[in-house]
């Protein structure tokens, strides 16, 4: 007991709060390592030019002329993506697989004479390509006749079971929070606790995304940008999905003393819309913009979920693939070889001869929780003087850019922590200045 009191005293004396904090599950740890993966929005909206279909679109309109899921996977891999999450069902209710719980599916479309199955094609292509496969199954359904009645909860659960049984393993399940029914629309009370329990039972290794988790949270915007302070912890008590969620700012930064481990995922589209529209072929984000989004998502301890919507052929448009391959080249070039040598025990990087540096990458080991709340980088310049760069959280990865300087060494000082931090890595780089984000 005396030892324990002494330890507590010691910890409080150095500013460490002895509190039990949530830690990631092994599935969440593996999810953190995924860092970058794709979203694919594809369905009737691809053919009608809409973003939110009404659910009354005729099945005949869904007819991709040259579908090639291996092309999606090939470009995804060339862009560095580790997985793909597909809109199995968006708000219009159209199912990209022949579901027996709906009459608004690919089986009623002319595509491959009603024998097509895009979940099958993509799940198989992902398996062949060695990347993960995930699904977006919109709870909001503007087509299903049972929607708005308790019976729909059962329909939704059966739908999920059908997908998980036929196309698993499903790595990530995506529940969006949208519901645009309006004041006179159908009021649906979703049984989320049962939805969650169902997935935990049939596929315990799947990570579930929604505004408030349980495993991964929305980052609070659809621009792909995490907070420069970004906690993997979040309080969810009293909140619900969609309109009843925490403030967007809170989702963006997390809660320092939050009770649950629910890290942020940054979803953003490579185009203005989530679905492909011909008039947006000229509005594809450039390789540099994608790189900067990487710095603002992965570089702030979150994951980067980039939407790349196939066109009416069922292929990724050339403009998108050029930007994506360019993005990966920038990444490889930028982070190819770190400068200097990291001494783990001392949290320093030393350069044998003074080096030009404008970027530092920090990594915290998260097995026992996220600890760093404030830090300073001490940059030792060639003339021996010291310049300081300050930051707050580190988490899975923190990429800090600053105006370039010639340095002899870099030392990390943790100025505020919620437990004993474990720093896995400190790496220094000199990036092309047009890529930097401050
Ligand atoms: C939102 C939806 O309403 C959008 O259409 C899109 O799917 C986005 C990723 O999630 O909730």
């Amino acid at each position: 007991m005396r030892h324990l009191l002494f330890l507590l005293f010691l910890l409080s004396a150095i500013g460490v709060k002895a509190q039990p904090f949530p830690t990631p599950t092994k599935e969440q740890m593996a999810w953190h390592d995924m860092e970058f993966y794709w979203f694919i929005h594809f369905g009737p909206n691809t053919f009608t030019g809409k973003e939110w279909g009404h659910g009354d679109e005729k099945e005949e309109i869904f007819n991709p002329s040259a579908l090639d899921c291996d092309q999606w996977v090939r470009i995804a891999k060339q862009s560095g993506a580790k997985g793909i999450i597909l809109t199995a069902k968006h708000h219009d209710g159209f199912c990209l697989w022949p579901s027996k719980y709906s009459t608004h599916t690919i089986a009623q479309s002319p595509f491959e004479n009603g024998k097509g199955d895009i979940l099958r094609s993509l799940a198989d292509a992902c398996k062949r390509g060695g990347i993960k496969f995930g699904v977006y199954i919109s709870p909001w359904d503007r087509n299903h006749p049972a929607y708005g009645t308790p019976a729909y909860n059962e329909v939704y659960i059966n739908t999920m079971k059908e997908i998980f049984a036929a196309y698993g393993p499903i790595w990530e399940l995506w529940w969006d929070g949208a519901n645009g029914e309006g004041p006179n629309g159908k009021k649906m009370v979703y049984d989320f606790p049962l939805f969650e329990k169902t997935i935990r039972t049939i596929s315990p290794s799947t990570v579930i995304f929604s505004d408030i988790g349980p495993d991964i949270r929305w980052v609070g915007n659809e621009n792909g940008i995490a907070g420069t302070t970004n906690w993997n912890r979040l309080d969810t008590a009293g909140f619900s999905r969609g309109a009843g969620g925490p403030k967007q700012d809170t989702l963006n930064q997390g809660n320092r003393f939050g009770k649950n481990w629910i890290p942020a995922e940054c979803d953003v589209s490579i185009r203005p819309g989530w679905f492909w529209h011909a008039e947006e072929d000229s509005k594809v984000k450039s390789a540099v913009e994608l790189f900067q989004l990487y710095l603002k998502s992965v570089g702030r301890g979150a994951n980067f979920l980039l939407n790349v919507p196939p066109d009416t052929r069922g292929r990724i448009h050339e403009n998108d693939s050029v930007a994506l391959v360019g993005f990966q080249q920038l990444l490889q070039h930028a982070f190819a070889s770190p400068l200097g040598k990291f001494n783990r025990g001392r949290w320093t990087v030393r350069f044998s001869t003074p080096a030009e540096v404008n970027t530092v990458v920090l990594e915290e080991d998260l097995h026992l929780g996220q600890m760093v709340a404030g830090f300073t980088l001490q940059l030792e310049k060639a003339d021996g003087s010291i310049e300081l760069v300050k930051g707050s959280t580190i988490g899975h990865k923190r990429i800090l850019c600053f105006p370039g300087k010639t340095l002899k060494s870099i030392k990390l000082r943790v100025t505020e922590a919620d437990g004993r931090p474990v720093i896995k890595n400190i790496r220094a780089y000199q990036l092309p200045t047009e890529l930097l984000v401050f």
Side-chain angles (χ1 to χ4, degrees):
M1 189 65 190
R2 262 180 38 214
H3 287 156
L4 185 67
L5 283 176
F6 182 65
L7 183 70
L8 288 175
F9 167 76
L10 257 187
L11 289 173
S12 67
I14 56 170
V16 170
K17 299 196 177 54
Q19 260 174 308
F21 276 125
T23 52
T25 61
K26 78 173 191 311
E27 289 78 20
Q28 287 172 318
M29 281 301 285
W31 175 89
H32 279 289
D33 287 334
M34 295 280 289
E35 291 190 354
F36 169 61
Y37 39 90
W38 278 19
F39 225 175
I40 285 196
H41 278 64
F42 191 51
N45 295 339
T46 311
F47 299 84
T48 59
K50 290 182 205 151
E51 277 290 315
W52 277 8
H54 294 280
D56 56 2
E57 292 78 17
K58 297 223 174 338
E59 290 85 24
E60 291 94 86
I61 58 164
F62 184 83
N63 197 8
S65 56
L67 182 90
D68 186 357
C69 291
D70 286 304
Q71 187 239 15
W72 305 359
V73 170
R74 194 166 60 245
I75 301 171
K77 287 175 70 176
Q78 281 170 4
S79 75
K82 304 271 172 42
I84 297 182
I85 301 174
L86 172 69
T87 52
K89 177 175 85 120
H90 201 248
H91 311 326
D92 57 21
F94 185 83
C95 302
L96 292 180
W97 77 105
S99 175
K100 62 173 194 261
Y101 301 104
S102 167
T103 53
H104 189 49
T105 80
I106 197 164
Q108 285 79 42
S109 82
F111 176 64
E112 293 181 352
N113 298 318
K115 299 278 179 297
D117 181 345
I118 295 181
L119 254 57
R120 171 88 293 129
S121 306
L122 184 58
D124 290 352
C126 285
K127 212 167 278 167
R128 277 194 291 277
I131 64 172
K132 304 260 190 222
F133 176 60
V135 284
Y136 174 134
I137 313 174
S138 169
W140 182 31
D141 190 317
R142 301 174 104 177
N143 173 271
H144 206 285
Y147 188 82
T149 73
Y152 176 78
N153 280 322
E154 208 183 310
V155 171
Y156 188 79
I157 285 174
N158 285 333
T159 305
M160 290 196 298
K161 283 185 176 166
E162 187 180 45
I163 291 180
F164 276 72
Y167 311 104
I170 307 285
W171 149 68
E172 178 167 334
L173 168 62
W174 221 84
W175 286 334
D176 68 288
N179 190 329
E181 284 293 331
N184 304 317
K186 295 177 182 168
K187 301 246 178 323
M188 179 69 217
V189 183
Y190 300 113
D191 193 347
F192 272 114
L194 190 57
F195 297 174
E196 218 175 289
K197 211 172 122 205
T198 304
I199 299 303
R200 290 289 194 243
T201 309
I202 61 175
S203 183
S205 62
T206 298
V207 284
I208 306 177
F209 165 96
S210 84
D211 295 349
I212 53 170
D215 300 313
I216 304 155
R217 74 173 191 268
W218 184 42
V219 76
N221 62 66
E222 290 184 337
N223 309 320
I225 302 175
T228 48
T229 294
N230 177 18
W231 291 102
N232 292 311
R233 296 186 282 262
L234 188 73
D235 282 321
T236 55
F239 293 112
S240 57
R241 294 175 173 91
K247 286 199 194 105
Q248 287 178 226
D249 211 36
T250 305
L251 291 171
N252 195 241
Q253 306 194 5
N255 295 116
R256 178 167 176 182
F257 302 111
K259 298 243 176 330
N260 314 284
W261 189 271
I262 310 182
E265 181 184 78
C266 299
D267 60 320
V268 60
S269 186
I270 192 166
R271 290 158 170 256
W274 292 102
F275 286 86
W276 176 85
H277 308 297
E279 66 277 16
E280 294 181 356
D281 283 348
S282 58
K283 296 184 180 150
V284 174
K285 290 186 176 64
S286 67
V288 171
E289 286 175 289
L290 296 177
F291 183 90
Q292 293 183 322
L293 282 176
Y294 172 90
L295 294 183
K296 292 177 188 171
S297 53
V298 177
R300 295 176 182 176
N303 275 6
F304 182 16
L305 172 58
L306 177 67
N307 180 60
V308 183
D311 58 19
T312 50
R313 292 173 301 173
R315 291 181 182 225
I316 308 302
H317 190 273
E318 293 66 14
N319 293 359
D320 306 58
S321 63
V322 167
L324 287 157
V325 173
F327 159 61
Q328 180 53 208
Q329 283 166 349
L330 288 178
L331 263 185
Q332 285 194 352
H333 190 244
F335 299 116
S337 37
L339 308 161
K341 201 168 169 0
F342 171 48
N343 181 322
R344 197 175 171 135
R346 293 179 181 275
W347 292 352
T348 51
V349 174
R350 295 214 153 270
F351 308 103
S352 45
T353 54
E356 278 290 309
V357 177
N358 62 14
T359 300
V360 169
V361 180
L362 304 168
E363 284 174 356
E364 192 177 341
D365 188 323
L366 300 177
H367 280 92
L368 299 177
Q370 184 180 3
M371 306 303 184
V372 179
F375 66 86
T376 305
L377 289 176
Q378 298 180 335
L379 311 178
E380 186 194 1
K381 300 212 281 192
D383 64 5
S385 63
I386 303 278
E387 255 191 53
L388 304 180
V389 172
K390 287 181 191 297
S392 51
T393 52
I394 295 180
H396 174 72
K397 193 167 269 179
R398 181 76 178 95
I399 307 180
L400 275 158
C401 302
F402 44 82
K405 310 177 197 312
T406 313
L407 301 180
K408 287 210 286 199
S409 74
I410 298 172
K411 182 169 177 54
L412 170 72
R413 274 198 52 228
V414 172
T415 51
E416 209 182 334
D418 296 331
R420 194 160 172 272
V422 181
I423 302 301
K424 273 205 305 202
N425 236 317
I426 306 175
R427 288 190 284 253
Y429 300 91
Q430 173 73 357
L431 266 51
T433 47
E434 67 275 15
L435 297 182
L436 301 180
V437 167
F438 297 107

